[in-house]
Amino acid sequence: MTVLITGGAGFIGSAVVRKLVGQRGTSTVNVDKLTYAGNLDSLEQIADHPAYSFERVDICNEEEVRRVFVQYRPSAVAHLAAESHVDRSIDAPGEFVQTNVVGTYILLREALRYWQALASREREAFRFLHVSTDEVFGSLGAEGYFKEDTGYQPNSPYSASKAGSDHLVRAWHHTYGLPTLTSNCSNNYGPFQFPEKLIPLTILNALAGRPLPVYGRGENTRDWLYVDDHADALLTILERGTLGETYCVGGRNERRNIDVVRAICTIVDEMVPDAAIGSRHRLIEFVRDRPGHDMRYAIDASKVERELGWRPSETFETGLRKTVEWYVNNREWWERVRSGSYRGERLGLGVTS
Ligand code: NAD
């Protein structure tokens, strides 16, 4: 069995590849364009494993995508490649439409062409997992949860492009019979996350004694899931999910952004006390809110728990502690990642390009 994973050099994709190759020895081909968010350093521990192959390919390049299918003959696809940062989608929505919508369309088309030509046993075994986000459902008020039957109300260019890709996947299943599965997951955090997202950005700024920007009043609430728990959920859905179904994945860990930032300050103060910096809580600064900022996301994950037996193993407290510890101990990784064009500056104020 060979798994074709797209976006395997990214944050979540690399966690899936480390699990597939490092823990299970499953033959895996990683198809990744290596944008600013893709980093082969995240795969160093499995890079020389005989079960691992890497193809630097843009999923929008249909000839190359076709070649990869023919060359590796995968029995499953896990599609994670995407532009993934909401703030960047506000500044440059075109790239999100290109990779997330057009790229998913090309991948679906080539997967279908490949699947239709398979012998019947292989055709029956084949599965295509599309990895999406809970942001497609829009924003919740103080009450309620997103579930598999929640209507789509995407609000940002990022979530709109992901919603578009979810609909294409649905159509390829219903129209052409492609054996697809879709997951919609809440916010992830953990090791190897590009330090533009809230948790790693706050950890690195706290370590450096720099200001800790919090959008608006910090009341926006996210439902956090540790990345390895998400990777486990994805492999569970890929192996045991019912074809044509969608699964909501989340950790039952709702936190307001301000509480996340405060928790990081407390852990960093304890792990890396610095008399010159003093308490990191003093570094918190409320800044202009993100345009169109969704107020609250929360997932009801009971379907994936009940039907597939998946459960997260980390609480937010244990996962956050592990994450801070990882960034403290892996300075070389994030210094190299940061030596590219992004240096931690504010993105997403609405200057489109
Ligand atoms: P990421 O930005 O860390 O990684 C994305 C990867 O995709 C990178 O390695 C990048 O090089 C690659 N990529 C981008 N465009 C490509 C293209 N055109 N062709 C080939 N490769 C390309 O993203 P992530 O946080 O790991 O998210 C992975 C997936 O999970 C995305 O589809 C995202 O929408 C979804 N998701 C993320 C979260 C989260 O909290 N991070 C939550 C739910 C769902």
Side-chain angles (χ1 to χ4, degrees):
M1 147 161 186
T2 294
V3 176
L4 187 165
I5 176 164
T6 70
F11 167 47
I12 302 169
S14 69
V16 176
V17 173
R18 288 191 301 272
K19 241 176 232 299
L20 276 172
V21 176
Q23 290 178 13
R24 303 177 176 201
T26 304
S27 165
T28 302
V29 54
N30 173 16
V31 172
D32 199 297
K33 177 184 171 182
L34 298 183
T35 66
Y36 78 95
N39 188 356
L40 292 179
D41 286 352
S42 308
L43 295 165
E44 214 179 343
Q45 33 182 284
I46 55 91
D48 297 326
H49 196 293
Y52 175 70
S53 311
F54 174 64
E55 290 281 351
R56 185 169 190 176
V57 164
D58 184 337
I59 57 164
C60 298
N61 182 335
E62 59 181 286
E63 277 159 33
E64 277 292 276
V65 171
R66 191 174 310 166
R67 174 186 65 76
V68 170
F69 272 104
V70 169
Q71 189 173 331
Y72 292 91
R73 305 195 57 76
S75 42
V77 174
H79 173 36
L80 289 94
E83 287 294 336
S84 71
H85 189 37
V86 176
D87 285 340
R88 284 182 192 265
S89 83
I90 294 168
D91 294 342
E95 289 168 40
F96 286 70
V97 173
Q98 193 57 26
T99 285
N100 300 0
V101 182
V102 178
T104 299
Y105 156 66
I106 285 171
L107 193 67
L108 283 167
R109 218 176 58 180
E110 294 309 320
L112 180 66
R113 179 197 300 274
Y114 164 77
W115 175 72
Q116 284 175 332
L118 288 174
S120 67
R121 244 186 61 212
E122 292 171 314
R123 199 176 328 143
E124 255 166 51
F126 185 82
R127 300 172 144 237
F128 183 110
L129 170 63
H130 172 59
V131 178
S132 191
T133 164
D134 63 352
E135 303 193 25
V136 297
F137 301 125
S139 184
L140 291 165
E143 305 277 308
Y145 295 90
F146 297 135
K147 295 204 312 209
E148 286 76 10
D149 59 3
T150 303
Y152 274 49
Q153 286 193 325
N155 291 320
S156 72
Y158 165 65
S159 55
S161 69
K162 291 297 290 189
S165 68
D166 292 10
H167 293 323
L168 290 174
V169 172
R170 182 186 162 85
W172 256 245
H173 176 72
H174 285 275
T175 305
Y176 307 111
L178 189 69
T180 62
L181 299 142
T182 296
S183 64
N184 295 95
C185 186
S186 60
N187 284 48
N188 282 218
Y189 68 102
F192 298 102
Q193 187 169 28
F194 191 84
E196 63 186 350
K197 308 255 165 90
L198 177 69
I199 289 183
L201 183 62
T202 302
I203 295 171
L204 298 197
N205 283 339
L207 285 171
R210 281 201 294 265
L212 306 177
V214 174
Y215 293 176
R217 300 302 304 162
E219 302 284 334
N220 303 68
T221 299
R222 301 293 180 260
D223 183 352
W224 294 95
L225 182 65
Y226 191 67
V227 65
D228 287 339
D229 283 329
H230 187 198
D232 279 335
L234 294 178
L235 295 179
T236 303
I237 294 167
L238 189 58
E239 282 157 11
R240 301 208 293 276
T242 304
L243 295 176
E245 297 275 306
T246 68
Y247 294 88
C248 282
V249 181
R252 301 182 192 276
N253 279 310
E254 273 186 64
R255 295 286 184 286
R256 296 184 312 164
N257 287 347
I258 183 63
D259 297 328
V260 171
V261 172
R262 284 191 185 126
I264 293 170
C265 290
T266 302
I267 300 173
V268 173
D269 280 349
E270 182 200 309
M271 279 187 197
V272 193
D274 187 319
I277 296 173
S279 166
R280 268 72 172 202
H281 290 265
R282 288 186 313 109
L283 302 171
I284 294 173
E285 275 180 11
F286 294 101
V287 299
R288 193 173 129 201
D289 207 353
R290 168 191 280 169
H293 202 176
D294 287 338
M295 183 44 83
R296 175 173 166 259
Y297 304 144
I299 283 272
D300 175 352
S302 52
K303 177 177 172 183
V304 67
E305 292 171 351
R306 191 180 59 245
E307 293 185 9
L308 305 183
W310 171 83
R311 289 268 183 299
S313 57
E314 301 291 343
T315 65
F316 188 64
E317 284 63 36
T318 59
L320 190 63
R321 189 162 280 275
K322 276 188 177 176
T323 305
V324 174
E325 202 164 31
W326 188 87
Y327 280 91
V328 169
N329 294 329
N330 288 276
R331 180 174 284 270
E332 201 184 320
W333 181 88
W334 53 260
E335 278 183 344
R336 275 166 74 151
V337 167
R338 270 204 160 170
S339 63
S341 60
Y342 177 71
R343 299 271 154 73
E345 69 274 18
R346 175 76 196 262
L347 300 171
L349 283 171
V351 187
T352 53
S353 58

